[in-house]
């Protein structure tokens, strides 16, 4: 089935992001693709973030600023008011790679045909060292989700599917996006890879600090064990170990 020109709801959640959010806002405003809805959900920042958002108010379709219970609570709020066919979550320390990102992504969607979730590549940037690398997931499988995830800021998620699966599990603090992709996979939702660089992901956010690494591991493990049988988990663990040994 073909896809035409969908409206894309870009959702940015922020809290005290005055040092980084201007770049995020500018990258969204620069997009040449015309059918964009931009939603910003701020958790009640006190560091000047709100002043930056107000200065860019003409580029923001929906602005929510109120306390939340966590990142995924804020994301669910943004998704609840979104009107686009697809959602993309672009955090306040990330930004689109260039002004043509969304136009290229939609052309790829049109070439590939209809899908529940599309995902592309991200550039991972370390602001301390100045080094960057490209994360290219290419495909989704039980094994790939057991080992890792797909890039959240490069994923276009059907609003209908997001609602059907009840959005992000707010009991998770770090890995609800991974959990959502796992639940979508076991629910037989379709994933298609977009061969394009979508966003720049800056190291240093909540999910990249050493303090939260153990929590991320525990949450991902809980998600896998909740969605796959014990036999499937055993088989996946065995296959991952084989790959590490034989490099295939």
């Amino acid at each position: 089935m073909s896809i035409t020109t969908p409206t894309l709801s870009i959702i940015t959640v922020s809290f005290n992001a005055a040092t980084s959010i201007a770049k995020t806002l500018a990258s969204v405003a620069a997009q040449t693709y015309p059918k964009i809805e931009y939603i910003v959900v701020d958790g009640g920042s006190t560091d000047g973030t709100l002043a930056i958002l107000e200065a860019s108010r003409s580029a923001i379709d929906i602005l929510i600023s109120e306390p939340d219970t966590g990142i995924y609570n804020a994301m669910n709020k943004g998704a609840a008011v979104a009107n686009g066919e697809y959602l993309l979550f672009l955090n306040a320390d990330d930004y689109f790679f260039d002004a043509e990102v969304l136009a290229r992504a939609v052309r790829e969607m049109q070439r590939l045909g209809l899908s529940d979730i599309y995902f592309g590549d991200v550039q991972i940037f370390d602001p301390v060292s100045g080094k960057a690398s490209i994360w290219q997931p290419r495909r989704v499988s039980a094994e790939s989700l057991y080992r890792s995830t797909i890039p959240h800021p490069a994923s276009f998620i059907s609003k209908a599917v997001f609602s059907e699966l009840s959005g992000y599990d707010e009991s998770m603090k770090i890995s609800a996006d991974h959990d959502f992709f796992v639940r979508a996979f076991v629910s037989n939702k379709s994933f298609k890879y977009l061969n394009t660089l979508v966003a720049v992901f800056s190291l240093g956010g909540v999910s990249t600090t050493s303090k939260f690494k153990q929590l991320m591991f525990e949450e991902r493990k809980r998600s896998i064990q909740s969605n796959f049988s014990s036999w499937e988990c055993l088989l996946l663990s065995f296959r991952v170990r084989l790959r590490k040994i034989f490099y295939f």
Side-chain angles (χ1 to χ4, degrees), residues 145-215:
L145 290 170
Y146 183 89
R147 288 185 288 108
S148 184
T149 187
I150 58 177
H152 197 200
S155 298
F156 300 83
I157 303 168
S158 161
K159 168 68 185 292
V161 168
F162 192 84
S163 299
E164 178 189 337
L165 298 180
S166 301
Y168 294 127
D169 180 350
E170 295 178 20
S171 71
M172 293 191 172
K173 303 303 179 184
I174 302 296
S175 302
D177 51 311
H178 172 261
D179 173 71
F180 176 84
F181 294 135
V182 171
R183 289 188 286 116
F185 179 81
V186 299
S187 299
N188 295 315
K189 302 306 179 186
S190 55
F191 292 77
K192 291 186 178 179
Y193 170 65
L194 305 174
N195 187 23
T196 188
L197 184 55
V198 177
V200 178
F201 173 76
S202 299
L203 294 176
V206 169
S207 63
T208 63
T209 59
S210 58
K211 178 181 177 181
F212 291 93
K213 290 293 186 181
Q214 184 60 32
L215 178 58

Side-chain angles (χ1 to χ4, degrees), residues 52-127:
I52 297 171
L53 293 175
E54 287 299 335
S56 300
R57 192 66 181 85
S58 62
I60 301 171
D61 296 290
I62 300 173
L63 174 60
I64 300 171
S65 182
E66 61 187 23
D68 56 57
T69 59
I71 293 173
Y72 296 109
N73 175 242
M75 290 181 180
N76 282 339
K77 286 182 183 180
V81 300
N83 298 296
E85 286 91 343
Y86 287 89
L87 313 174
L88 183 143
F89 296 89
L90 188 71
N91 288 339
D93 50 356
D94 304 330
Y95 50 93
F96 287 126
F97 183 71
D98 61 35
E100 298 295 324
V101 160
L102 297 183
R104 286 198 304 271
V106 170
R107 287 196 295 271
E108 274 286 277
M109 292 177 186
Q110 293 167 338
R111 182 182 68 83
L112 294 169
L114 193 63
S115 184
D116 298 316
I117 299 170
Y118 300 93
F119 61 100
D121 303 333
V122 295
Q123 181 184 85
I124 301 175
F125 177 69
D126 184 345

